[in-house]
Amino acid sequence: IVTRGEMDKFRRQVEAEVAHQQMNAERAKQVLKDAETDLLRDRIDQLLMVAKAKELDLKVDQQLSKQMATLQLKSGITDTDKFQQWVREQSGMSFEDYKQQTKDGLLSQEVVRREVGGRITISKAEEQKYYDDHKNEFVREEQVWLQEILISTRDKDEKGVAAAETKAKDLVNRARKGENFNTLARDNSDAETAEGGGNLPAFKRGLLKKEIEDVVFQQSKGFVTDPIRQGNGFLVLRVSQHDAAGLQPFDAVENEILDRMYQPRMQPALRAYLTKLRQEAFLQIK
């Protein structure tokens, strides 16, 4: 069931988000117009995907708990009641509704990943052709792509700082022994990048602190640094890619090629999948 009251609530959320981003009047008007056009469609899409997630018996409780814990850490509020009040003020909805909306979003993402993204295939020959046709786009300055894990020392005494350093050293050892860095970052990092596996954008020379640049630019893909003491904690970095200057070899940019080819196929595939779910569902409009 989708009620008129729900639509009003989602409309207010969009308006609040637009106001928060402080867009210019023309841009804000266009965003609101686009949102208004798609509001009901998007709500039905999510209901269909949540229903599909239940059918597939998908579970996201662990991801939800981690996301709520990360949000509470970012808020800097340790008291549970005060944190829930903060969420109500920030989101304009009850904490229970906010948590349910977050859970529904995670379920929808998991359905899309399994049922849509996992079924898009790109052959090696297609990748190679794309590379050959776009070689000029893969000529680069020297740059490194990094992942990070931050173990925070915020508000910690001397004992807490020592414990943070011990934890950072343990994570370095685990990463060097082959544990997945994305998972280590997601489950342990206090940085905002944790949910994305600690991934950072590419850095050219001169953009990093000298003590960090001197280390990572000397290393190749897969290198994990020792913990680096920063003002807010202990930082562990992994070199996920190191591009030398000039035309990058196919192997070095294969993941980028896959991303470029994947995205244009994703939206049509997702829309086709949602159309199929609509055809299989019972929708009554009053």
Side-chain angles (χ1 to χ4, degrees):
I1 297 172
V2 183
T3 66
R4 190 185 303 276
E6 274 188 308
M7 290 298 94
D8 289 339
K9 181 178 72 174
F10 286 117
R11 191 177 292 108
R12 288 194 298 272
Q13 286 176 21
V14 174
E15 290 170 351
E17 180 63 26
V18 168
H20 179 70
Q21 293 184 20
Q22 298 181 331
M23 301 176 184
N24 64 54
E26 192 61 34
R27 173 64 179 154
K29 183 179 178 182
Q30 185 60 49
V31 169
L32 289 171
K33 181 181 178 183
D34 292 344
E36 184 71 28
T37 302
D38 297 334
L39 210 57
L40 181 59
R41 184 201 70 181
D42 291 346
R43 181 58 183 151
I44 293 173
D45 285 349
Q46 186 170 69
L47 287 172
L48 289 168
M49 286 194 282
V50 169
K52 188 66 175 179
K54 290 178 181 177
E55 180 186 320
L56 295 171
D57 197 29
L58 301 180
K59 307 295 183 187
V60 293
D61 293 336
Q62 187 175 352
Q63 297 98 303
L64 179 63
S65 296
K66 173 68 176 176
Q67 198 157 320
M68 290 295 105
T70 300
L71 182 63
Q72 185 166 2
L73 182 66
K74 289 178 183 177
S75 74
I77 302 171
T78 55
D79 182 270
T80 301
D81 291 337
K82 290 181 180 178
F83 169 65
Q84 293 185 4
Q85 177 61 33
W86 179 82
V87 169
R88 286 193 288 271
E89 292 170 357
Q90 295 294 312
S91 66
M93 64 181 83
S94 71
F95 179 76
E96 292 72 22
D97 284 349
Y98 178 83
K99 192 173 180 180
Q100 186 61 51
Q101 187 180 73
T102 304
K103 183 177 182 178
D104 289 349
L106 290 170
L107 287 169
S108 299
Q109 290 170 21
E110 189 63 17
V111 170
V112 171
R113 186 183 70 79
R114 291 193 183 198
E115 298 290 294
V116 184
R119 300 183 183 185
I120 296 175
T121 57
I122 300 170
S123 70
K124 207 77 169 178
E126 290 177 291
E127 293 177 43
Q128 185 66 53
K129 184 177 186 309
Y130 186 95
Y131 176 76
D132 293 339
D133 292 344
H134 299 82
K135 281 187 175 180
N136 63 313
E137 297 175 21
F138 300 112
V139 176
R140 305 277 165 78
E141 297 178 44
E142 185 181 14
Q143 59 185 355
V144 290
W145 301 75
L146 302 172
Q147 292 171 273
E148 68 172 353
I149 294 175
L150 176 69
I151 305 303
S152 176
T153 55
R154 180 180 176 181
D155 299 327
K156 292 183 179 177
D157 58 17
E158 188 175 332
K159 187 176 179 180
V161 171
E165 184 176 16
T166 299
K167 181 178 181 179
K169 288 179 178 178
D170 177 61
L171 290 168
V172 168
N173 291 331
R174 290 168 62 184
R176 288 175 176 172
K177 287 177 181 178
E179 284 196 47
N180 187 286
F181 198 91
N182 290 44
T183 304
L184 291 174
R186 185 194 68 200
D187 295 343
N188 297 280
S189 180
D190 296 317
E192 292 184 359
T193 56
E195 284 300 313
N199 285 296
L200 295 167
F203 293 95
K204 296 182 175 66
R205 285 187 179 273
L207 296 178
L208 292 165
K209 292 180 179 178
K210 189 175 186 305
E211 65 269 23
I212 295 176
E213 184 173 292
D214 288 346
V215 174
V216 298
F217 271 91
Q218 301 302 316
Q219 303 299 333
S220 55
K221 180 179 178 179
F223 174 80
V224 178
T225 69
D226 290 327
I228 304 168
R229 185 70 165 99
Q230 301 289 290
N232 59 343
F234 291 93
L235 182 66
V236 176
L237 296 171
R238 177 181 181 272
V239 178
S240 55
Q241 188 172 323
H242 187 172
D243 296 343
L247 175 64
Q248 303 304 302
F250 173 80
D251 290 346
V253 294
E254 184 176 8
N255 287 342
E256 184 179 344
I257 290 170
L258 281 170
D259 285 343
R260 290 190 187 188
M261 299 183 73
Y262 177 86
Q263 291 305 325
R265 301 183 188 198
M266 183 62 180
Q267 284 306 316
L270 177 58
R271 185 46 52 194
Y273 180 72
L274 289 166
T275 299
K276 178 173 176 287
L277 289 184
R278 272 176 167 71
Q279 291 168 347
E280 294 171 351
F282 176 71
L283 303 178
Q284 182 181 18
I285 300 175
K286 294 185 178 180

